Amino acid sequence: MTRHTRILMSVIYWAFVIYLFVPLALMVTMGFKDSKFIGFPIRAWTVDWYAAVLQDTQVMSVFGYSMAIAIATTLLSLIIGTWMAAFLGPNKFRGKAILFALACLPAVIPGIISAIALRIFARLIELEPGMLAVILGHTVHNVPFVALVVMARLSTQPKSHIEAARDLGADSIVAFFRVTLPYLKPALVGAGIFCMLLSFDDFVRAFFLGGYQPTLPVLIFAKLRSGMSPEINAISTIVLIMTAILGLWAERSMRRLNKGSPQ
Amino acid sequence: MTFWGALLQNGTYQAVSGALFKTQRRQFVILASLPLFWIVFANLGPIVEMFWIGFLDSYPPKVGYEPQFTLANWAAFFQDRVFIVPFFRTLAFSVIFTAITLLITYPVAYFLAKHVKRKNQLLFLLLLLIPFWVGEIVRTYAIMILLGNNGAVNLVLKSLGLIDRPIPFMYTGFSLGVGIIYLTALYMLLPLYSALEKIPNNYLEAAADLGAGAWTRFRRVTLPLSREGIASGCTLVFLISTGYYATPVLLGGPRSTVFAETIAGFFHVAGDQWPMGAAFSSIMLITTLAVTGLFLKLMGRGGKGMMR
């Protein structure tokens, strides 16, 4: 590879980084503008919008509501996803490839169709639009991600772990909880945080499955439809910071997982 | 004695556990129970129900009326330009956005996989991942601020003296494209990166020793060996970009209405529109899955011939 292409490549990389960061940086900056009018130039600065958001009881209650949905979704997704991985990962049986594809289906179906199908399905099982329906929708979407991460981790677990546990008198259940589960822990922490992010950030499912109480993305969407305001920037910035922290935490936990695996 | 030790000694537990796990077969059935239930109930149930509702003339059920079987909802799609135009626009947009995303992210992925030192790769990758974790709505809003009439791009162009009046980027196919590519770029980049990273450097060195120039090395070694990454990246971006609803509503305009908005319309207006929405969603699902299936087949079999 010549020097020129090398330099060109690094220019393209940094241009891409700038493309990813500039819109978000602008959005954060605009949250400090001392005017209701969104747009450049910015002549005066303030932190009033943040103070207003933190005192806004509606925003805070919506935040709590979204958080509760994210936590419930994460717990359910972890249980079902891990079980799915324990079934589809180590066992060999006929029709496994088809089952695996069906298990991954909700992760690849276009968002709007998944949301509509779930909305119709919720009517069938007489689940009113609202918190439970949103939790169901998010869990359906998240389970494949958990299953894939856990399956990858399971495949690196030495068989001798389980055999040793069995020799020492543990049955299947105890061996799972005492040996396999601790081995899976980093994968579960990483997958769990990504579930929280996916649920907390999701718009389309929350929009179609939610009742009168909006989740945070639905609230931001509703506010945006009635006009841009620096208040939205302040809310978005708070979400942005939270997301980044959670994401980095998940990444760290997954990274440790790769290091510790005996391969 | 620990909790687990006590549990194993407990007579009731022993009886239950012994009965549950007496044979390999029984253990397998228990392991299969929840996953099978979940796949049938949660993954297939909604799709099957959606298809079924598409064949009814009335839904949700009304008191004293028995819904009749009909094909009218499916036929309606082919009879009105109001439906067909957004449908094909969505497919065309998604194909174009996917192709542009591939062209933008390929060099970035190549740079990451082949030019960045291994111990720095994680750091360079994290830099791209952080914006990617932020949700759809927040990132869409960021693009609105970038492209608006008083947005950053227009401000820069104006201060450079290139324009007098702001260019109306917003509410067009262009702003929608910028938004969708912004949202989906990493779904392309990550598979590309992991495919490129697996290509051993000595393949390229061997090709160079045999007299292959940079372009030939790229065309005959790198590109064919990264085919899997290209296939899964394109599939992901295509499927995901057809499914956005909020982004086209916020960034698009009347001339860039996508099918997601058409479908959503049936579920917002009061009245008896669910069956049509269900039928239209089914048509879109079948089409997108067929397109990706065809694409993967081409990449898998014909791809070898195409690229060598």
Side-chain angles (χ1 to χ4, degrees), chain B residues 118-185:
Chain B
R118 197 152 279 268
K119 66 175 196 314
N120 292 335
Q121 281 186 3
L122 173 63
L123 203 69
F124 277 65
L125 206 55
L126 267 184
L127 208 53
L128 304 177
L129 275 172
I130 292 168
F132 186 58
W133 291 324
V134 182
E136 176 191 354
I137 297 290
V138 171
R139 277 196 287 167
T140 302
Y141 182 42
I143 294 292
M144 290 168 79
I145 292 172
L146 183 76
L147 294 181
N149 281 350
N150 296 299
V153 174
N154 273 316
L155 178 84
V156 170
L157 291 176
K158 214 181 211 168
S159 63
L160 289 175
L162 293 171
I163 51 168
D164 303 327
R165 247 176 294 162
I167 301 174
F169 292 116
M170 278 297 291
Y171 314 117
T172 60
F174 175 77
S175 56
L176 180 57
V178 172
I180 300 259
I181 293 170
Y182 189 54
L183 287 170
T184 55

Side-chain angles (χ1 to χ4, degrees), chain A residues 1-2 5-6 9-10 12-14 16-17 19-24 26-27 30 37-41 79-80 83-84 86-88 91-93 99 102-113 116-121 123-125 136 139-140 143-144 166 169-174 177-178 194 197-198 201 203-204 207-208 217-218 220-221 224-225 228-230 232-233 236 239-240 243-244 246-248 251 255, chain B residues 2 4 7-8 13 17 20-21 27-28 30-36 38-39 41-47 49-50 53 59-61 104-105 107-108 110-112 115 122-131 133-139 141-146 150-152 155 177-179 181-182 185-186 189 214 217 236 239-240 242-246 249-250 260 263-264 267-268 274 277-278 281 284-285 288-289:
Chain A
M1 195 59 61
T2 61
T5 30
R6 192 177 286 253
M9 290 260 186
S10 97
I12 294 176
Y13 170 83
W14 288 107
F16 188 68
V17 170
Y19 166 65
L20 290 183
F21 273 92
V22 160
L24 292 173
L26 292 173
M27 188 197 72
M30 200 66 83
F37 172 71
I38 288 284
F40 292 96
I79 294 170
I80 301 168
W83 199 322
M84 189 82 84
F87 169 56
L88 286 176
N91 294 296
K92 289 195 176 68
F93 52 88
L99 268 189
L102 288 177
C104 294
L105 195 64
V108 294
I109 288 184
I112 180 80
I113 296 171
I116 294 296
L118 284 160
R119 176 69 193 89
I120 294 171
F121 188 64
R123 179 70 186 70
L124 175 76
I125 57 172
L136 172 71
T139 307
V140 171
V143 162
R166 300 305 292 264
D171 63 9
S172 300
I173 297 179
V174 174
F177 279 101
R178 292 279 281 169
F194 278 119
L197 285 181
L198 282 173
D201 285 341
F203 170 80
V204 74
F207 186 66
F208 284 99
V218 176
I220 298 176
F221 178 78
L224 272 179
R225 295 217 74 179
M228 299 202 229
S229 112
I232 305 175
N233 294 62
S236 304
V239 175
L240 179 92
T243 319
L246 277 177
L248 285 171
E251 200 58 35
R255 211 52 60 176
Chain B
T2 63
W4 296 102
L7 186 69
L8 283 169
Y13 175 79
S17 164
L20 283 177
F21 301 111
Q27 191 168 333
F28 181 73
I30 290 171
L31 202 56
S33 59
L34 182 74
L36 286 180
W38 187 255
I39 287 172
F41 168 80
N43 293 8
L44 289 175
I47 306 286
E49 173 72 359
M50 180 177 79
I53 297 302
Y59 198 86
I104 293 176
T105 52
V108 178
Y110 190 90
F111 174 77
L112 271 174
H115 290 304
L122 173 63
L123 203 69
F124 277 65
L125 206 55
L126 267 184
L127 208 53
L128 304 177
L129 275 172
I130 292 168
W133 291 324
V134 182
E136 176 191 354
I137 297 290
V138 171
R139 277 196 287 167
Y141 182 42
I143 294 292
M144 290 168 79
I145 292 172
L146 183 76
N150 296 299
L155 178 84
V178 172
I181 293 170
Y182 189 54
L186 266 273
L189 196 138
R217 285 201 301 272
L236 275 176
L239 286 172
I240 292 170
T242 54
Y244 282 119
Y245 169 66
V249 169
L250 294 172
I263 291 175
F267 291 84
H268 279 164
W274 281 32
S281 301
M284 187 173 167
L285 180 61
T288 49
L289 290 182

